[in-house]
């Protein structure tokens, strides 16, 4: 267990690691400094932590399963991100991740899943994002399957990563941009089983907007912006 340290943390190839009470703070303008990065690991738990950095607060890479994140405050930073996935054509998937009771303050993203627009056998499934408070976040809920920095090595290609069974429940607050919910999924492997329940995101005190491509699922309870699934 790691407690109360001031480091940027990498968990790679581990089982049953518990991180709690960590305060990570790096300058908001420090590029590519993830707060906590996890990959190729099973049973990682992150509890009661406060993370501010120039990149992802928590990033979750290929080969991660049975991960639990609870009571984490993120900001500044790029949010909690699953991915980037699908950079390699042969890649382990990510599954069974719970992200519960989080706050995002002034971040670039809130809850993000991101994959390269390239062929891959990777997958991302069985995620629960529950009880998030969003304040002034540019992309509160986002799936981006067309990640391709510099448009190098992927133009015209689509992501092979299959995304399924992702639930967003009780997510509310304010978006810093008009589009608060964006599902931009793979043309070849559309996202399936996306569930939105009790989501309320505003932009300038008005209902925000949602945008979907190649995304299927259901909405229940109050969902604002109106679901485009
Ligand atoms: C999912 O992950 C949780 C820990 O986050 C674990 O307790 C549970 O057994 C896992 N479920 C499956 C089906 O692996």
């Amino acid at each position: 267990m790691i407690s109360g340290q001031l480091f940027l943390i990498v968990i790679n190839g581990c089982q049953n690691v518990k991180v709690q009470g960590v305060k990570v703070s790096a300058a908001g303008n420090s590029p590519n400094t993830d707060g906590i990065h996890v990959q190729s690991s099973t049973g990682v738990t992150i509890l009661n932590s406060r993370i501010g950095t120039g990149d992802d607060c928590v990033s979750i890479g290929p080969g991660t399963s049975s991960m639990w994140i609870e009571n984490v405050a993120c900001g500044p930073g790029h949010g909690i991100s699953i991915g980037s996935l699908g950079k390699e054509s042969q890649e382990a998937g990510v599954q069974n991740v719970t992200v519960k009771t989080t706050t995002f303050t002034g971040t670039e993203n809130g809850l993000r899943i991101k994959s390269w627009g390239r062929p891959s056998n990777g997958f991302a499934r069985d995620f629960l994002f529950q009880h998030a408070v969003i304040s002034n976040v540019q992309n509160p809920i986002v799936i981006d399957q067309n990640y391709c920095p510099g448009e190098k090595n992927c133009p015209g290609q689509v992501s092979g990563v299959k995304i399924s069974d992702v639930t967003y429940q009780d997510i509310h607050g304010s978006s810093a941009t008009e589009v608060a919910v964006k599902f931009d999924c793979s043309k070849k492997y559309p996202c399936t089983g996306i569930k939105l329940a009790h989501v309320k995101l505003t932009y300038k005190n008005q209902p925000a907007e949602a945008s979907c491509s190649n995304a299927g699922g259901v909405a229940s309870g109050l969902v604002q912006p109106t679901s485009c699934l």
Side-chain angles (χ1 to χ4, degrees):
M1 189 190 295
I2 309 162
S3 285
Q5 308 263 326
L6 281 162
F7 299 121
L8 308 193
I9 294 163
V10 176
I11 297 168
N12 185 357
C14 299
Q15 283 188 8
N16 304 325
V17 174
K18 189 168 176 181
V19 176
Q20 70 176 11
V22 168
K23 285 200 182 82
V24 178
S25 52
N29 60 0
S30 51
N32 293 314
T33 323
D34 289 335
I36 300 177
H37 177 74
V38 179
Q39 66 178 43
S40 305
S41 296
T42 299
V44 175
T45 303
I46 299 173
L47 298 178
N48 310 335
S49 294
R50 179 173 289 277
I51 302 164
T53 179
D55 206 316
D56 295 327
C57 289
V58 180
S59 62
I60 300 167
T64 304
S65 63
S66 299
M67 178 155 176
W68 189 276
I69 298 175
E70 183 168 358
N71 194 21
V72 167
C74 169
H78 292 187
I80 292 180
S81 187
I82 296 174
S84 313
L85 304 178
K87 188 176 185 185
E88 308 301 331
S89 61
Q90 298 292 318
E91 191 179 279
V94 177
Q95 63 185 332
N96 184 20
V97 176
T98 299
V99 179
K100 191 173 164 170
T101 314
T102 48
T103 63
F104 296 90
T105 308
T107 51
E108 184 179 289
N109 307 290
L111 303 161
R112 171 165 70 166
I113 302 172
K114 158 171 137 179
S115 78
W116 286 73
R118 292 162 56 104
S120 175
N121 68 343
F123 61 84
R125 63 184 175 229
D126 300 327
F127 300 153
L128 173 61
F129 298 111
Q130 195 179 43
H131 311 315
V133 178
I134 307 281
S135 307
N136 192 32
V137 169
Q138 289 172 40
N139 307 294
I141 292 178
V142 56
I143 297 179
D144 173 11
Q145 291 210 263
N146 289 301
Y147 180 65
C148 190
E151 296 297 319
K152 266 201 275 191
N153 304 323
C154 39
Q157 302 187 71
V158 297
S159 179
V161 174
K162 294 162 208 70
I163 297 178
S164 59
D165 298 308
V166 181
T167 299
Y168 301 88
Q169 195 177 54
D170 182 29
I171 315 289
H172 60 92
S174 60
S175 174
T177 66
E178 203 155 20
V179 177
V181 176
K182 184 174 177 188
F183 298 127
D184 185 8
C185 295
S186 170
K187 218 180 287 176
K188 194 164 177 197
Y189 300 101
C191 297
T192 60
I194 309 280
K195 295 185 194 72
L196 292 165
H198 308 288
V199 171
K200 188 174 180 199
L201 293 163
T202 57
Y203 170 63
K204 293 186 172 166
N205 294 317
Q206 303 289 319
E209 285 177 18
S211 124
C212 292
S213 27
N214 312 305
V218 294
S220 63
L222 173 75
V223 172
Q224 193 186 77
T226 306
S227 167
C228 54
L229 292 168

